[in-house]
Amino acid sequence: MSPTIKNRLWNPAFGIRFSPKAEHQPSYPFLDITRFVHTPASSSEAARNEGVEIDEFSDDEEFERHATEWFDQQDQRVLQVTETISEGTQVATDTDGNLIDPSKQESVTTETITTETVVTKTVATETVAPPLTNLDYTIDVDHWEAARESQAGSQESFWSYRMYRHIQENGEEQKVRVHYCTSKHTMEWVCQRYFADEKVIGFDLEWLIRPKNNNPRINVSLIQIASPSRIGLFHIALFPKDDFVAPTFKKIMEDENVTKVGVSIKGDCTRLRNNLGIESKGVLELSHLFKLVKYSKSGELNRINKVMVNLAAQTQEVLGLPLFKGDDVRSGNWMLRLSERQVAYSASDAYVGLQLYHVLEQERLKLQPTPPRPEFVEKNLPIKFLTADDVDESDATSESGDSEVISDCEAELDGSNDELPQPPTASRTIEVEPSEKKVEDTRDPRIIAAESQTTQYRNKVHVLRASTTSLRTYFLWHNNEGLTPESIAALLRTPPLKTNTVVSYILDVIIAEKLPYQKTRLRNEVLAHLAPQALSGVRYRALAEDAQESEEEL
């Protein structure tokens, strides 16, 4: 039996309703699944078929699960679907399959082209592509392009966390999940399970605008954190007890080894300290990184400063889409249970900060010379930037700080059969103190050779577009048959680098520096790690197509 309008979660006039429930109803809002899922099976049967144990979910998690289903179903709803019934006959139906009166549809005039040859005028346009990172979750290119083509100001034109996907090995898409928590217990469970091991966290706060007071529920109404796969919304204002600080969340915020990123983040952390007693460390202001990257590229180093750049402006410039900042949502009542628009707004704010950081950090590492990352805001240090005069090209020191050692491997790479120069024979023996003896480089000879070749390449070219780290990784891969990205990741660092990081380094060099590659190895060892969406994207499409054409080396 379908519930009455009073008990429905969705109300056409008011949106999602969170009205008080009768005693016999569950504590989470009722979702009329039958209105959205066209299947004879009940919602409980569907849950069992999907392998979901409903008893394992708390009230908050049950609401999250239903809300996620509702959002996903809205993505699939199309205002009009045209179905071909027979040849020459078409009818229009709505989302429920009901026929639409043809007289109410707009008439379509068909124009016949009588000329045999149609000349199309080609207009040269700049190729624009979404920024891709080496994270597992990347933006869906089709969603990004559709947003750019949408009418400006429409809901479809804005950037959203829901555009990001992780393509699993079996080809299935995994979306970013949102955890909406209204108790300290659930907050602790989510932080411990999903965020405790993250090294970079997107962070933001929302609060109710009121005169100065000492109420944490008003001053820190909602806490938002984000990782590549999860977003946590911790609604402090609705916590049942005056105990707001989950231990794992406090540990994350006070750990300097976990980088927290956001815009105007110092003020948010001050609110946390004043109201919840959390001393945040490892706090990075995105405005500092944004200006460092932007003006280092343009050479306008005098414009690198600590003046804030709002989140919407950074999103538009770096990610290529506007960020929704509606005043009606931003200045809404954050003391009440969140509406659909508030969930989307607050989740996107935390997640966009995380994505901005990874894109900007990736661009910073490509700069030559590469400036250091801005210091954490709690250290109150100036932003450091480098000019060409700051780099001593005659220095033979490798990136790791060890002296370069010429080895047999390097001679082979150079294609030279000449013997390595021998040190001159001393006319008399001199005893050398142990502390003055030359320390032998015990690293893998392949790493030493790759670093040496990187130094030679840097001295040879006038403009270096790829980073030194990327070049070293490329030479390691290119000059050693059988050395895969997985092997290189383990060779360069313990614990190993992420394989996707090594893959991105190799591809960056091939694209930016136009260095040679063996097509078979590129296809089987490197491109095989990319998601299909990345392979079909603007950045890697030409390279992927070229690797399929021939087995010959460029």
Side-chain angles (χ1 to χ4, degrees):
M1 180 177 178
S2 179
T4 63
I5 191 66
K6 292 182 179 180
N7 293 331
R8 288 178 179 171
L9 173 63
W10 174 257
N11 184 296
F14 302 101
I16 297 180
R17 302 173 69 252
F18 301 104
S19 58
K21 305 294 183 299
E23 293 181 358
H24 67 279
Q25 291 180 320
S27 58
Y28 54 86
F30 184 91
L31 179 65
D32 186 5
I33 296 294
T34 59
R35 297 181 63 233
F36 305 110
V37 182
H38 303 292
T39 172
S42 65
S43 59
S44 60
E45 290 174 350
R48 283 193 293 270
N49 293 336
E50 295 173 2
V52 177
E53 295 292 338
I54 296 179
D55 293 338
E56 294 180 0
F57 289 87
S58 66
D59 290 347
D60 289 331
E61 294 167 314
E62 187 71 19
F63 167 74
E64 173 206 331
R65 186 171 65 88
H66 287 331
T68 302
E69 290 173 358
W70 187 87
F71 287 141
D72 290 343
Q73 289 152 10
Q74 296 311 297
D75 287 339
Q76 301 171 3
R77 294 173 68 85
V78 184
L79 293 180
Q80 288 192 3
V81 180
T82 303
E83 300 176 349
T84 302
I85 303 300
S86 61
E87 185 177 358
T89 305
Q90 288 188 335
V91 296
T93 63
D94 59 17
T95 54
D96 295 324
N98 301 318
L99 294 178
I100 298 177
D101 187 353
S103 62
K104 296 181 180 179
Q105 301 182 54
E106 296 181 0
S107 60
V108 180
T109 304
T110 304
E111 296 181 358
T112 304
I113 302 177
T114 57
T115 57
E116 295 181 359
T117 305
V118 179
V119 180
T120 304
K121 183 179 180 181
T122 303
V123 180
T125 58
E126 182 183 357
T127 301
V128 181
L132 299 177
T133 66
N134 56 12
L135 297 175
D136 291 336
Y137 282 74
T138 56
I139 196 165
D140 184 279
V141 177
D142 293 336
H143 281 72
W144 185 85
E145 291 177 346
R148 288 181 63 88
E149 294 173 0
S150 299
Q151 182 179 358
S154 65
Q155 183 178 356
E156 295 78 13
S157 67
F158 293 109
W159 181 96
S160 171
Y161 73 90
R162 297 171 66 195
M163 293 180 173
Y164 287 76
R165 302 284 190 274
H166 169 47
I167 308 300
Q168 302 181 81
E169 293 182 359
N170 58 6
E172 293 184 1
E173 285 188 346
Q174 193 169 1
K175 299 180 181 180
V176 179
R177 297 297 303 272
V178 177
H179 298 269
Y180 178 40
C181 306
T182 57
S183 69
K184 175 187 171 183
H185 171 75
T186 311
M187 178 184 183
E188 171 64 19
W189 184 84
V190 168
C191 286
Q192 195 174 74
R193 183 167 183 177
Y194 298 120
F195 296 99
D197 296 328
E198 295 294 335
K199 294 303 180 185
V200 182
I201 294 287
F203 173 70
D204 194 26
L205 292 182
E206 303 294 344
W207 60 88
L208 187 63
I209 301 176
R210 285 288 186 273
K212 188 175 181 180
N213 62 86
N214 297 321
N215 188 348
R217 298 179 187 274
I218 296 177
N219 297 331
V220 188
S221 303
L222 180 71
I223 299 174
Q224 306 116 270
I225 63 175
S227 71
S229 62
R230 307 271 172 172
I231 302 172
L233 303 180
F234 309 131
H235 207 167
I236 302 297
L238 297 187
F239 279 19
K241 300 178 181 179
D242 291 338
D243 184 10
F244 307 108
V245 183
T248 302
F249 174 75
K250 179 179 174 68
K251 181 180 178 181
I252 291 172
M253 295 303 297
E254 295 184 344
D255 187 352
E256 188 177 12
N257 295 319
V258 180
T259 302
K260 276 70 68 174
V261 298
V263 173
S264 299
I265 192 171
K266 185 176 182 180
D268 289 343
C269 291
T270 301
R271 279 183 174 268
L272 277 187
R273 183 185 68 239
N274 294 341
N275 292 276
L276 301 181
I278 297 176
E279 295 288 346
S280 302
K281 297 179 182 178
V283 179
L284 181 70
E285 172 57 52
L286 285 174
S287 300
H288 301 170
L289 183 59
F290 172 80
K291 287 195 169 184
L292 175 66
V293 171
K294 178 177 180 178
Y295 296 123
S296 292
K297 281 184 176 181
S298 65
E300 302 172 277
L301 302 182
N302 61 316
R303 301 186 66 179
I304 299 176
N305 54 48
K306 291 189 175 183
V307 177
M308 293 294 108
V309 180
N310 67 67
L311 188 61
Q314 293 189 46
T315 305
Q316 177 73 68
E317 185 164 339
V318 177
L319 303 182
L321 290 174
L323 182 67
F324 178 73
K325 281 291 182 181
D327 291 335
D328 57 332
V329 178
R330 180 169 49 181
S331 59
N333 191 345
W334 296 98
M335 296 288 288
L336 303 177
R337 198 172 184 96
L338 299 186
S339 66
E340 175 196 346
R341 297 184 71 196
Q342 285 177 311
V343 168
Y345 173 93
S346 55
S348 290
D349 266 14
Y351 198 76
V352 74
L354 179 75
Q355 290 293 335
L356 281 171
Y357 168 79
H358 284 287
V359 174
L360 290 171
E361 183 66 1
Q362 184 172 276
E363 292 302 307
R364 180 186 70 84
L365 293 174
K366 293 179 182 178
L367 294 172
Q368 291 298 326
T370 304
R373 192 181 71 174
E375 295 284 355
F376 295 138
V377 295
E378 66 266 21
K379 296 183 179 180
N380 198 28
L381 294 174
I383 303 173
K384 297 179 181 179
F385 53 86
L386 300 178
T387 64
D389 296 334
D390 296 321
V391 180
D392 184 3
E393 295 292 347
S394 64
D395 187 8
T397 302
S398 69
E399 193 177 38
S400 62
D402 297 321
S403 299
E404 296 289 347
V405 178
I406 300 177
S407 65
D408 294 337
C409 293
E410 180 185 343
E412 292 176 5
L413 289 172
D414 292 339
S416 173
N417 295 323
D418 297 337
E419 293 185 2
L420 295 175
Q422 299 295 326
T425 304
S427 58
R428 57 193 178 94
T429 304
I430 302 176
E431 291 187 3
V432 181
E433 294 294 330
S435 59
E436 296 179 2
K437 290 183 179 179
K438 185 176 180 180
V439 179
E440 183 181 358
D441 195 331
T442 59
R443 294 177 300 160
D444 191 295
R446 293 170 293 185
I447 296 179
I448 299 172
E451 288 185 351
S452 177
Q453 194 168 3
T454 298
T455 302
Q456 294 175 18
Y457 183 83
R458 287 180 57 189
N459 294 334
K460 179 180 177 181
V461 299
H462 297 289
V463 179
L464 191 64
R465 297 178 177 84
S467 67
T468 303
T469 304
S470 298
L471 280 168
R472 180 185 64 173
T473 306
Y474 163 80
F475 286 127
L476 259 177
W477 173 76
H478 181 263
N479 297 325
N480 296 280
E481 289 280 351
L483 197 60
T484 63
E486 294 91 340
S487 302
I488 294 173
L491 188 64
L492 289 177
R493 195 183 74 179
T494 303
L497 292 169
K498 287 187 177 181
T499 303
N500 284 344
T501 301
V502 175
V503 168
S504 67
Y505 286 162
I506 296 171
L507 293 176
D508 283 348
V509 172
I510 292 175
I511 294 173
E513 302 295 332
K514 295 181 172 53
L515 291 182
Y517 55 89
Q518 190 178 10
K519 294 184 178 182
T520 304
R521 289 191 66 200
L522 182 72
R523 182 176 65 250
N524 297 336
E525 297 178 9
V526 180
L527 295 177
H529 290 279
L530 295 183
Q533 292 173 329
L535 289 173
S536 61
V538 176
R539 182 170 178 79
Y540 299 125
R541 184 189 303 153
L543 196 61
E545 291 175 352
D546 182 70
Q548 296 291 340
E549 290 177 358
S550 172
E551 303 295 330
E552 297 178 2
E553 187 175 351
L554 289 178

